[in-house]
Amino acid sequence: DAGVTQSPTHLIKTRGQQVTLRCSPKSGHDTVSWYQQALGQGPQFIFQYYEEEERQRGNFPDRFSGHQFPNYSSELNVNALLLGDSALYLCASSLVGEEKLFFGSGTQLSVL
Amino acid sequence: AQRVTQPEKLLSVFKGAPVELKCNYSYSGSPELFWYVQYSRQRLQLLLRHISRESIKGFTADLNKGETSFHLKKPFAQEEDSAMYYCALRINSGYSTLTFGKGTMLLVSP
């Protein structure tokens, strides 16, 4: 089991562009959460998907949206990129209701 | 809103010395607390959860509701303990969403 996989590992975009990040959960997991980790900060919760629906959402603007597919994989989309969106984006998977999260290695997004 | 505070960005100790990584939280209800760890070039992973009251790799953490703290302790630090440690809080049982602190880098020197 490869665990949680994320792609791409690195991405460079310019302000105003749109980006899509992808995540495949650990085998057997049905819930995917996305976190943003700015430099020097802890991960900050963006949203969580379960049964293809957004279950919970953190304090992020509507520019951040997501999707979960029937195979439980997920995408994070960010529109109208700002310089402040530069961060490491982490995907974490779990079984619904379970407390233990399994994290991917992240996608490092740089917005120029 | 809930908050997790880790007052130290860096904690540097010598091998064999005791370690205490501090974590304080603010939440009026009954929280669930966790410690996550990230070793160099590895993924963030769960180290401890307060509800299981376990000792992992010699680390323990006790939830003190009176002081709203969940400090991580180890009596004798090892070089392989060097890593980034994050304290995290969950407030909605049934949802696995976490609020993280900013993290403390533990550096254990020989």
Side-chain angles (χ1 to χ4, degrees):
Chain A
D1 180 15
V4 179
T5 58
Q6 292 186 243
S7 63
T9 55
H10 297 85
L11 203 51
I12 299 175
K13 292 286 189 178
T14 56
R15 279 185 304 172
Q17 285 189 313
Q18 178 265 343
V19 68
T20 298
L21 311 182
R22 295 176 175 82
C23 172
S24 292
K26 180 178 169 64
S27 177
H29 284 180
D30 55 12
T31 302
V32 173
S33 302
W34 287 92
Y35 288 80
Q36 181 196 66
Q37 187 172 21
L39 193 62
Q41 304 293 315
Q44 187 175 359
F45 174 69
I46 303 175
F47 42 53
Q48 182 184 85
Y49 277 84
Y50 171 67
E51 291 190 338
E52 302 179 49
E53 290 192 357
E54 185 180 289
R55 210 162 166 242
Q56 270 201 311
R57 189 178 184 92
N59 188 26
F60 279 80
D62 292 344
R63 298 187 297 109
F64 289 77
S65 63
H67 189 77
Q68 186 180 34
F69 299 93
N71 67 352
Y72 306 118
S73 67
S74 177
E75 288 182 350
L76 163 66
N77 300 292
V78 187
N79 294 323
L81 284 168
L82 303 174
L83 296 180
D85 296 331
S86 295
L88 180 67
Y89 289 84
L90 294 169
C91 172
S93 73
S94 60
L95 281 170
V96 63
E98 288 202 356
E99 59 201 17
K100 185 174 181 178
L101 297 182
F102 289 78
F103 283 86
S105 299
T107 294
Q108 183 67 53
L109 173 64
S110 298
V111 182
L112 306 179
Chain B
Q2 68 276 11
R3 176 175 288 191
V4 176
T5 302
Q6 295 180 250
E8 303 139 329
K9 284 188 177 180
L10 172 66
L11 184 62
S12 185
V13 302
F14 288 105
K15 177 182 174 181
V19 169
E20 183 179 52
L21 299 169
K22 295 188 182 342
C23 172
N24 288 91
Y25 66 91
S26 62
Y27 178 60
S28 57
S30 294
E32 297 175 42
L33 276 296
F34 306 85
W35 279 98
Y36 275 78
V37 61
Q38 187 166 25
Y39 300 102
S40 179
R41 291 184 292 277
Q42 294 189 25
R43 304 174 183 200
L44 193 60
Q45 58 186 287
L46 178 65
L47 178 65
L48 279 181
R49 49 193 127 181
H50 93 268
I51 199 166
S52 53
R53 302 185 65 82
E54 56 202 344
S55 173
I56 302 292
K57 298 184 179 182
F59 284 98
T60 58
D62 290 319
L63 179 60
N64 186 324
K65 292 187 178 180
E67 296 183 356
T68 60
S69 68
F70 188 57
H71 302 328
L72 183 66
K73 300 177 183 179
K74 184 169 183 177
F76 307 104
Q78 302 299 315
E79 289 179 68
E80 55 266 30
D81 296 329
S82 295
M84 194 72 180
Y85 291 81
Y86 294 95
C87 183
L89 166 72
R90 181 171 88 153
I91 64 172
N92 290 323
S93 291
Y95 292 86
S96 46
T97 57
L98 299 174
T99 299
F100 284 89
K102 292 185 178 182
T104 298
M105 172 65 77
L106 174 63
L107 184 61
V108 182
S109 303

